[in-house]
Amino acid sequence: MEYARLRELLNSTHHFPGTYTFKVIGWQRNDFVERVLDAAREVIGRALPLGVGTRGTSSGRHVAVTLEPFLDDSDQVLEIYEQLRGVDDVIMYW
């Protein structure tokens, strides 16, 4: 989907500035959670005043990370998703 269309869709369903929830699932290895947090920090340029939740699977092979950063606009949401695409060991995000 085109960037402008994604931004329009985000702006029609969310109010900015405000919090936005990201869910990321990946392999529990190589400091996965910290790398996910670093991806968000890269975009917002500051320490993350956000709710961070993690939950591992019963097998211990995967971990789910929930981020709820306070963002200025929909562009930051799209930029964080772009950063998450580059994080090794990500299986899925939404």
Side-chain angles (χ1 to χ4, degrees), residues 40-76:
R41 287 183 194 115
E42 182 75 24
V43 172
I44 64 173
R46 61 183 183 272
L48 295 174
L50 51 75
V52 175
T54 61
R55 187 176 72 199
T57 60
S58 60
S59 69
R61 295 184 336 187
H62 303 97
V63 62
V65 182
T66 301
L67 306 172
E68 295 180 328
F70 187 88
L71 302 175
D72 297 328
D73 53 41
S74 58
D75 289 328
Q76 286 185 315

PDB file of all heavy atoms in Angstrom, residues 40-76:
ATOM      1  N   ALA A  40      12.456   1.258  17.891  1.00  0.00           N
ATOM      2  CA  ALA A  40      11.535   2.348  18.221  1.00  0.00           C
ATOM      3  C   ALA A  40      12.292   3.590  18.667  1.00  0.00           C
ATOM      4  O   ALA A  40      11.968   4.711  18.259  1.00  0.00           O
ATOM      5  CB  ALA A  40      10.549   1.910  19.293  1.00  0.00           C
ATOM      6  N   ARG A  41      13.325   3.398  19.475  1.00  0.00           N
ATOM      7  CA  ARG A  41      14.131   4.542  19.938  1.00  0.00           C
ATOM      8  C   ARG A  41      14.778   5.274  18.770  1.00  0.00           C
ATOM      9  O   ARG A  41      14.921   6.491  18.793  1.00  0.00           O
ATOM     10  CB  ARG A  41      15.224   4.070  20.890  1.00  0.00           C
ATOM     11  CG  ARG A  41      14.742   3.664  22.249  1.00  0.00           C
ATOM     12  CD  ARG A  41      15.924   3.290  23.146  1.00  0.00           C
ATOM     13  NE  ARG A  41      15.466   2.607  24.321  1.00  0.00           N
ATOM     14  CZ  ARG A  41      15.745   1.337  24.627  1.00  0.00           C
ATOM     15  NH1 ARG A  41      16.520   0.607  23.843  1.00  0.00           N
ATOM     16  NH2 ARG A  41      15.268   0.797  25.721  1.00  0.00           N
ATOM     17  N   GLU A  42      15.175   4.541  17.763  1.00  0.00           N
ATOM     18  CA  GLU A  42      15.803   5.132  16.581  1.00  0.00           C
ATOM     19  C   GLU A  42      14.877   6.168  15.928  1.00  0.00           C
ATOM     20  O   GLU A  42      15.326   7.200  15.456  1.00  0.00           O
ATOM     21  CB  GLU A  42      16.137   4.026  15.576  1.00  0.00           C
ATOM     22  CG  GLU A  42      16.825   4.480  14.331  1.00  0.00           C
ATOM     23  CD  GLU A  42      18.281   4.813  14.539  1.00  0.00           C
ATOM     24  OE1 GLU A  42      18.895   4.294  15.489  1.00  0.00           O
ATOM     25  OE2 GLU A  42      18.810   5.591  13.740  1.00  0.00           O
ATOM     26  N   VAL A  43      13.604   5.901  15.957  1.00  0.00           N
ATOM     27  CA  VAL A  43      12.633   6.800  15.325  1.00  0.00           C
ATOM     28  C   VAL A  43      12.288   7.980  16.212  1.00  0.00           C
ATOM     29  O   VAL A  43      12.289   9.127  15.763  1.00  0.00           O
ATOM     30  CB  VAL A  43      11.343   6.033  14.940  1.00  0.00           C
ATOM     31  CG1 VAL A  43      10.259   6.993  14.468  1.00  0.00           C
ATOM     32  CG2 VAL A  43      11.660   4.990  13.884  1.00  0.00           C
ATOM     33  N   ILE A  44      12.002   7.713  17.475  1.00  0.00           N
ATOM     34  CA  ILE A  44      11.524   8.818  18.312  1.00  0.00           C
ATOM     35  C   ILE A  44      12.652   9.607  18.941  1.00  0.00           C
ATOM     36  O   ILE A  44      12.424  10.681  19.480  1.00  0.00           O
ATOM     37  CB  ILE A  44      10.495   8.357  19.366  1.00  0.00           C
ATOM     38  CG1 ILE A  44      11.100   7.384  20.359  1.00  0.00           C
ATOM     39  CG2 ILE A  44       9.282   7.748  18.698  1.00  0.00           C
ATOM     40  CD1 ILE A  44      10.155   7.044  21.489  1.00  0.00           C
ATOM     41  N   GLY A  45      13.874   9.074  18.858  1.00  0.00           N
ATOM     42  CA  GLY A  45      15.046   9.834  19.265  1.00  0.00           C
ATOM     43  C   GLY A  45      15.158  10.154  20.739  1.00  0.00           C
ATOM     44  O   GLY A  45      15.772  11.140  21.114  1.00  0.00           O
ATOM     45  N   ARG A  46      14.554   9.349  21.549  1.00  0.00           N
ATOM     46  CA  ARG A  46      14.629   9.586  22.998  1.00  0.00           C
ATOM     47  C   ARG A  46      14.331   8.265  23.714  1.00  0.00           C
ATOM     48  O   ARG A  46      13.901   7.305  23.108  1.00  0.00           O
ATOM     49  CB  ARG A  46      13.641  10.655  23.427  1.00  0.00           C
ATOM     50  CG  ARG A  46      12.186  10.304  23.153  1.00  0.00           C
ATOM     51  CD  ARG A  46      11.234  11.439  23.526  1.00  0.00           C
ATOM     52  NE  ARG A  46       9.857  11.094  23.340  1.00  0.00           N
ATOM     53  CZ  ARG A  46       9.180  11.253  22.211  1.00  0.00           C
ATOM     54  NH1 ARG A  46       9.756  11.732  21.146  1.00  0.00           N
ATOM     55  NH2 ARG A  46       7.905  10.925  22.143  1.00  0.00           N
ATOM     56  N   ALA A  47      14.555   8.305  25.011  1.00  0.00           N
ATOM     57  CA  ALA A  47      14.182   7.137  25.811  1.00  0.00           C
ATOM     58  C   ALA A  47      12.691   6.905  25.637  1.00  0.00           C
ATOM     59  O   ALA A  47      11.923   7.845  25.422  1.00  0.00           O
ATOM     60  CB  ALA A  47      14.513   7.379  27.279  1.00  0.00           C
ATOM     61  N   LEU A  48      12.292   5.686  25.713  1.00  0.00           N
ATOM     62  CA  LEU A  48      10.899   5.347  25.452  1.00  0.00           C
ATOM     63  C   LEU A  48      10.040   5.455  26.703  1.00  0.00           C
ATOM     64  O   LEU A  48      10.080   4.590  27.563  1.00  0.00           O
ATOM     65  CB  LEU A  48      10.793   3.928  24.902  1.00  0.00           C
ATOM     66  CG  LEU A  48      11.428   3.719  23.550  1.00  0.00           C
ATOM     67  CD1 LEU A  48      11.388   2.246  23.175  1.00  0.00           C
ATOM     68  CD2 LEU A  48      10.748   4.538  22.503  1.00  0.00           C
ATOM     69  N   PRO A  49       9.277   6.537  26.806  1.00  0.00           N
ATOM     70  CA  PRO A  49       8.313   6.614  27.905  1.00  0.00           C
ATOM     71  C   PRO A  49       7.081   5.830  27.486  1.00  0.00           C
ATOM     72  O   PRO A  49       6.084   6.396  27.077  1.00  0.00           O
ATOM     73  CB  PRO A  49       8.036   8.114  28.014  1.00  0.00           C
ATOM     74  CG  PRO A  49       8.217   8.611  26.614  1.00  0.00           C
ATOM     75  CD  PRO A  49       9.276   7.734  25.999  1.00  0.00           C
ATOM     76  N   LEU A  50       7.200   4.536  27.511  1.00  0.00           N
ATOM     77  CA  LEU A  50       6.125   3.707  26.989  1.00  0.00           C
ATOM     78  C   LEU A  50       5.902   2.519  27.868  1.00  0.00           C
ATOM     79  O   LEU A  50       6.746   2.155  28.674  1.00  0.00           O
ATOM     80  CB  LEU A  50       6.449   3.253  25.565  1.00  0.00           C
ATOM     81  CG  LEU A  50       7.800   2.603  25.282  1.00  0.00           C
ATOM     82  CD1 LEU A  50       7.876   1.181  25.788  1.00  0.00           C
ATOM     83  CD2 LEU A  50       8.028   2.610  23.805  1.00  0.00           C
ATOM     84  N   GLY A  51       4.758   1.914  27.665  1.00  0.00           N
ATOM     85  CA  GLY A  51       4.501   0.650  28.314  1.00  0.00           C
ATOM     86  C   GLY A  51       5.153  -0.434  27.479  1.00  0.00           C
ATOM     87  O   GLY A  51       4.957  -0.480  26.280  1.00  0.00           O
ATOM     88  N   VAL A  52       5.948  -1.257  28.096  1.00  0.00           N
ATOM     89  CA  VAL A  52       6.576  -2.375  27.396  1.00  0.00           C
ATOM     90  C   VAL A  52       6.167  -3.645  28.112  1.00  0.00           C
ATOM     91  O   VAL A  52       6.343  -3.758  29.320  1.00  0.00           O
ATOM     92  CB  VAL A  52       8.114  -2.263  27.396  1.00  0.00           C
ATOM     93  CG1 VAL A  52       8.727  -3.508  26.757  1.00  0.00           C
ATOM     94  CG2 VAL A  52       8.571  -1.013  26.688  1.00  0.00           C
ATOM     95  N   GLY A  53       5.622  -4.539  27.359  1.00  0.00           N
ATOM     96  CA  GLY A  53       5.264  -5.827  27.922  1.00  0.00           C
ATOM     97  C   GLY A  53       5.912  -6.929  27.114  1.00  0.00           C
ATOM     98  O   GLY A  53       6.061  -6.801  25.900  1.00  0.00           O
ATOM     99  N   THR A  54       6.315  -7.978  27.779  1.00  0.00           N
ATOM    100  CA  THR A  54       6.866  -9.135  27.076  1.00  0.00           C
ATOM    101  C   THR A  54       6.216 -10.394  27.626  1.00  0.00           C
ATOM    102  O   THR A  54       5.825 -10.453  28.796  1.00  0.00           O
ATOM    103  CB  THR A  54       8.395  -9.241  27.246  1.00  0.00           C
ATOM    104  OG1 THR A  54       8.709  -9.395  28.622  1.00  0.00           O
ATOM    105  CG2 THR A  54       9.105  -8.032  26.674  1.00  0.00           C
ATOM    106  N   ARG A  55       6.098 -11.358  26.754  1.00  0.00           N
ATOM    107  CA  ARG A  55       5.565 -12.646  27.181  1.00  0.00           C
ATOM    108  C   ARG A  55       6.205 -13.729  26.328  1.00  0.00           C
ATOM    109  O   ARG A  55       6.144 -13.667  25.096  1.00  0.00           O
ATOM    110  CB  ARG A  55       4.046 -12.667  27.011  1.00  0.00           C
ATOM    111  CG  ARG A  55       3.416 -13.913  27.603  1.00  0.00           C
ATOM    112  CD  ARG A  55       1.925 -13.873  27.523  1.00  0.00           C
ATOM    113  NE  ARG A  55       1.562 -14.070  26.111  1.00  0.00           N
ATOM    114  CZ  ARG A  55       0.400 -13.748  25.599  1.00  0.00           C
ATOM    115  NH1 ARG A  55      -0.515 -13.169  26.338  1.00  0.00           N
ATOM    116  NH2 ARG A  55       0.140 -13.964  24.330  1.00  0.00           N
ATOM    117  N   GLY A  56       6.819 -14.670  26.974  1.00  0.00           N
ATOM    118  CA  GLY A  56       7.444 -15.778  26.268  1.00  0.00           C
ATOM    119  C   GLY A  56       6.473 -16.918  26.072  1.00  0.00           C
ATOM    120  O   GLY A  56       5.483 -17.044  26.796  1.00  0.00           O
ATOM    121  N   THR A  57       6.757 -17.750  25.093  1.00  0.00           N
ATOM    122  CA  THR A  57       5.938 -18.936  24.877  1.00  0.00           C
ATOM    123  C   THR A  57       6.335 -20.014  25.880  1.00  0.00           C
ATOM    124  O   THR A  57       7.400 -19.945  26.493  1.00  0.00           O
ATOM    125  CB  THR A  57       6.120 -19.477  23.447  1.00  0.00           C
ATOM    126  OG1 THR A  57       7.490 -19.812  23.247  1.00  0.00           O
ATOM    127  CG2 THR A  57       5.663 -18.461  22.419  1.00  0.00           C
ATOM    128  N   SER A  58       5.498 -21.012  26.029  1.00  0.00           N
ATOM    129  CA  SER A  58       5.787 -22.072  26.993  1.00  0.00           C
ATOM    130  C   SER A  58       7.046 -22.846  26.613  1.00  0.00           C
ATOM    131  O   SER A  58       7.745 -23.357  27.486  1.00  0.00           O
ATOM    132  CB  SER A  58       4.595 -23.020  27.119  1.00  0.00           C
ATOM    133  OG  SER A  58       4.303 -23.610  25.867  1.00  0.00           O
ATOM    134  N   SER A  59       7.361 -22.911  25.335  1.00  0.00           N
ATOM    135  CA  SER A  59       8.576 -23.608  24.901  1.00  0.00           C
ATOM    136  C   SER A  59       9.826 -22.765  25.113  1.00  0.00           C
ATOM    137  O   SER A  59      10.936 -23.285  25.092  1.00  0.00           O
ATOM    138  CB  SER A  59       8.474 -23.974  23.421  1.00  0.00           C
ATOM    139  OG  SER A  59       8.522 -22.794  22.621  1.00  0.00           O
ATOM    140  N   GLY A  60       9.644 -21.441  25.281  1.00  0.00           N
ATOM    141  CA  GLY A  60      10.772 -20.549  25.463  1.00  0.00           C
ATOM    142  C   GLY A  60      11.469 -20.157  24.177  1.00  0.00           C
ATOM    143  O   GLY A  60      12.468 -19.446  24.204  1.00  0.00           O
ATOM    144  N   ARG A  61      10.950 -20.591  23.050  1.00  0.00           N
ATOM    145  CA  ARG A  61      11.604 -20.288  21.772  1.00  0.00           C
ATOM    146  C   ARG A  61      11.229 -18.924  21.212  1.00  0.00           C
ATOM    147  O   ARG A  61      11.996 -18.342  20.454  1.00  0.00           O
ATOM    148  CB  ARG A  61      11.266 -21.359  20.736  1.00  0.00           C
ATOM    149  CG  ARG A  61      11.828 -22.707  21.105  1.00  0.00           C
ATOM    150  CD  ARG A  61      11.592 -23.760  20.072  1.00  0.00           C
ATOM    151  NE  ARG A  61      10.444 -23.484  19.225  1.00  0.00           N
ATOM    152  CZ  ARG A  61       9.962 -24.329  18.344  1.00  0.00           C
ATOM    153  NH1 ARG A  61      10.516 -25.498  18.177  1.00  0.00           N
ATOM    154  NH2 ARG A  61       8.916 -24.019  17.605  1.00  0.00           N
ATOM    155  N   HIS A  62      10.048 -18.430  21.554  1.00  0.00           N
ATOM    156  CA  HIS A  62       9.564 -17.163  21.011  1.00  0.00           C
ATOM    157  C   HIS A  62       9.189 -16.213  22.135  1.00  0.00           C
ATOM    158  O   HIS A  62       8.890 -16.628  23.244  1.00  0.00           O
ATOM    159  CB  HIS A  62       8.331 -17.390  20.124  1.00  0.00           C
ATOM    160  CG  HIS A  62       8.574 -18.330  19.006  1.00  0.00           C
ATOM    161  ND1 HIS A  62       8.230 -19.659  19.086  1.00  0.00           N
ATOM    162  CD2 HIS A  62       9.152 -18.146  17.801  1.00  0.00           C
ATOM    163  CE1 HIS A  62       8.569 -20.255  17.954  1.00  0.00           C
ATOM    164  NE2 HIS A  62       9.135 -19.359  17.161  1.00  0.00           N
ATOM    165  N   VAL A  63       9.151 -14.924  21.788  1.00  0.00           N
ATOM    166  CA  VAL A  63       8.725 -13.907  22.740  1.00  0.00           C
ATOM    167  C   VAL A  63       7.862 -12.892  22.003  1.00  0.00           C
ATOM    168  O   VAL A  63       8.115 -12.570  20.842  1.00  0.00           O
ATOM    169  CB  VAL A  63       9.930 -13.226  23.434  1.00  0.00           C
ATOM    170  CG1 VAL A  63      10.817 -12.512  22.430  1.00  0.00           C
ATOM    171  CG2 VAL A  63       9.491 -12.308  24.534  1.00  0.00           C
ATOM    172  N   ALA A  64       6.828 -12.430  22.687  1.00  0.00           N
ATOM    173  CA  ALA A  64       5.971 -11.368  22.157  1.00  0.00           C
ATOM    174  C   ALA A  64       6.299 -10.089  22.917  1.00  0.00           C
ATOM    175  O   ALA A  64       6.395 -10.085  24.142  1.00  0.00           O
ATOM    176  CB  ALA A  64       4.507 -11.729  22.337  1.00  0.00           C
ATOM    177  N   VAL A  65       6.470  -9.008  22.174  1.00  0.00           N
ATOM    178  CA  VAL A  65       6.782  -7.705  22.757  1.00  0.00           C
ATOM    179  C   VAL A  65       5.651  -6.757  22.402  1.00  0.00           C
ATOM    180  O   VAL A  65       5.250  -6.661  21.240  1.00  0.00           O
ATOM    181  CB  VAL A  65       8.116  -7.146  22.205  1.00  0.00           C
ATOM    182  CG1 VAL A  65       8.447  -5.814  22.854  1.00  0.00           C
ATOM    183  CG2 VAL A  65       9.239  -8.137  22.380  1.00  0.00           C
ATOM    184  N   THR A  66       5.129  -6.056  23.397  1.00  0.00           N
ATOM    185  CA  THR A  66       4.115  -5.037  23.180  1.00  0.00           C
ATOM    186  C   THR A  66       4.721  -3.685  23.543  1.00  0.00           C
ATOM    187  O   THR A  66       5.227  -3.513  24.649  1.00  0.00           O
ATOM    188  CB  THR A  66       2.867  -5.286  24.049  1.00  0.00           C
ATOM    189  OG1 THR A  66       2.335  -6.578  23.728  1.00  0.00           O
ATOM    190  CG2 THR A  66       1.810  -4.226  23.818  1.00  0.00           C
ATOM    191  N   LEU A  67       4.681  -2.759  22.592  1.00  0.00           N
ATOM    192  CA  LEU A  67       5.178  -1.399  22.805  1.00  0.00           C
ATOM    193  C   LEU A  67       4.009  -0.433  22.695  1.00  0.00           C
ATOM    194  O   LEU A  67       3.177  -0.576  21.805  1.00  0.00           O
ATOM    195  CB  LEU A  67       6.196  -1.011  21.731  1.00  0.00           C
ATOM    196  CG  LEU A  67       7.387  -1.907  21.498  1.00  0.00           C
ATOM    197  CD1 LEU A  67       8.149  -1.430  20.277  1.00  0.00           C
ATOM    198  CD2 LEU A  67       8.275  -1.890  22.704  1.00  0.00           C
ATOM    199  N   GLU A  68       3.974   0.564  23.562  1.00  0.00           N
ATOM    200  CA  GLU A  68       2.939   1.591  23.503  1.00  0.00           C
ATOM    201  C   GLU A  68       3.575   2.967  23.643  1.00  0.00           C
ATOM    202  O   GLU A  68       3.336   3.673  24.621  1.00  0.00           O
ATOM    203  CB  GLU A  68       1.890   1.348  24.581  1.00  0.00           C
ATOM    204  CG  GLU A  68       1.123   0.054  24.360  1.00  0.00           C
ATOM    205  CD  GLU A  68       0.079  -0.194  25.433  1.00  0.00           C
ATOM    206  OE1 GLU A  68       0.297   0.202  26.591  1.00  0.00           O
ATOM    207  OE2 GLU A  68      -0.943  -0.795  25.087  1.00  0.00           O
ATOM    208  N   PRO A  69       4.365   3.375  22.641  1.00  0.00           N
ATOM    209  CA  PRO A  69       5.020   4.681  22.737  1.00  0.00           C
ATOM    210  C   PRO A  69       4.058   5.824  22.458  1.00  0.00           C
ATOM    211  O   PRO A  69       3.063   5.666  21.751  1.00  0.00           O
ATOM    212  CB  PRO A  69       6.097   4.624  21.649  1.00  0.00           C
ATOM    213  CG  PRO A  69       5.522   3.708  20.631  1.00  0.00           C
ATOM    214  CD  PRO A  69       4.742   2.671  21.421  1.00  0.00           C
ATOM    215  N   PHE A  70       4.374   6.979  23.010  1.00  0.00           N
ATOM    216  CA  PHE A  70       3.651   8.210  22.713  1.00  0.00           C
ATOM    217  C   PHE A  70       4.312   8.800  21.477  1.00  0.00           C
ATOM    218  O   PHE A  70       5.507   9.093  21.482  1.00  0.00           O
ATOM    219  CB  PHE A  70       3.737   9.190  23.891  1.00  0.00           C
ATOM    220  CG  PHE A  70       2.871  10.395  23.706  1.00  0.00           C
ATOM    221  CD1 PHE A  70       1.551  10.373  24.113  1.00  0.00           C
ATOM    222  CD2 PHE A  70       3.373  11.539  23.119  1.00  0.00           C
ATOM    223  CE1 PHE A  70       0.732  11.481  23.938  1.00  0.00           C
ATOM    224  CE2 PHE A  70       2.567  12.657  22.931  1.00  0.00           C
ATOM    225  CZ  PHE A  70       1.245  12.619  23.351  1.00  0.00           C
ATOM    226  N   LEU A  71       3.546   8.935  20.394  1.00  0.00           N
ATOM    227  CA  LEU A  71       4.089   9.393  19.119  1.00  0.00           C
ATOM    228  C   LEU A  71       3.461  10.708  18.694  1.00  0.00           C
ATOM    229  O   LEU A  71       2.295  10.980  19.001  1.00  0.00           O
ATOM    230  CB  LEU A  71       3.863   8.336  18.044  1.00  0.00           C
ATOM    231  CG  LEU A  71       4.480   6.967  18.342  1.00  0.00           C
ATOM    232  CD1 LEU A  71       4.098   5.957  17.274  1.00  0.00           C
ATOM    233  CD2 LEU A  71       5.983   7.078  18.480  1.00  0.00           C
ATOM    234  N   ASP A  72       4.237  11.487  17.958  1.00  0.00           N
ATOM    235  CA  ASP A  72       3.779  12.799  17.505  1.00  0.00           C
ATOM    236  C   ASP A  72       2.806  12.714  16.345  1.00  0.00           C
ATOM    237  O   ASP A  72       1.887  13.524  16.238  1.00  0.00           O
ATOM    238  CB  ASP A  72       4.968  13.669  17.093  1.00  0.00           C
ATOM    239  CG  ASP A  72       5.900  13.942  18.251  1.00  0.00           C
ATOM    240  OD1 ASP A  72       5.416  14.028  19.394  1.00  0.00           O
ATOM    241  OD2 ASP A  72       7.119  14.060  18.009  1.00  0.00           O
ATOM    242  N   ASP A  73       3.031  11.756  15.438  1.00  0.00           N
ATOM    243  CA  ASP A  73       2.191  11.697  14.241  1.00  0.00           C
ATOM    244  C   ASP A  73       2.257  10.310  13.599  1.00  0.00           C
ATOM    245  O   ASP A  73       3.036   9.447  14.021  1.00  0.00           O
ATOM    246  CB  ASP A  73       2.608  12.770  13.228  1.00  0.00           C
ATOM    247  CG  ASP A  73       4.085  12.727  12.883  1.00  0.00           C
ATOM    248  OD1 ASP A  73       4.633  11.624  12.717  1.00  0.00           O
ATOM    249  OD2 ASP A  73       4.691  13.807  12.778  1.00  0.00           O
ATOM    250  N   SER A  74       1.451  10.118  12.564  1.00  0.00           N
ATOM    251  CA  SER A  74       1.383   8.825  11.889  1.00  0.00           C
ATOM    252  C   SER A  74       2.685   8.493  11.167  1.00  0.00           C
ATOM    253  O   SER A  74       3.004   7.313  10.970  1.00  0.00           O
ATOM    254  CB  SER A  74       0.206   8.797  10.919  1.00  0.00           C
ATOM    255  OG  SER A  74       0.313   9.838   9.967  1.00  0.00           O
ATOM    256  N   ASP A  75       3.443   9.496  10.773  1.00  0.00           N
ATOM    257  CA  ASP A  75       4.736   9.227  10.130  1.00  0.00           C
ATOM    258  C   ASP A  75       5.651   8.432  11.054  1.00  0.00           C
ATOM    259  O   ASP A  75       6.374   7.543  10.597  1.00  0.00           O
ATOM    260  CB  ASP A  75       5.424  10.530   9.712  1.00  0.00           C
ATOM    261  CG  ASP A  75       4.731  11.202   8.537  1.00  0.00           C
ATOM    262  OD1 ASP A  75       4.159  10.476   7.683  1.00  0.00           O
ATOM    263  OD2 ASP A  75       4.756  12.438   8.467  1.00  0.00           O
ATOM    264  N   GLN A  76       5.621   8.740  12.344  1.00  0.00           N
ATOM    265  CA  GLN A  76       6.456   7.991  13.291  1.00  0.00           C
ATOM    266  C   GLN A  76       6.017   6.531  13.374  1.00  0.00           C
ATOM    267  O   GLN A  76       6.854   5.643  13.512  1.00  0.00           O
ATOM    268  CB  GLN A  76       6.434   8.640  14.673  1.00  0.00           C
ATOM    269  CG  GLN A  76       7.240   9.921  14.732  1.00  0.00           C
ATOM    270  CD  GLN A  76       7.300  10.483  16.134  1.00  0.00           C
ATOM    271  OE1 GLN A  76       6.301  10.556  16.837  1.00  0.00           O
ATOM    272  NE2 GLN A  76       8.494  10.884  16.537  1.00  0.00           N
TER     273      GLN A  76
END
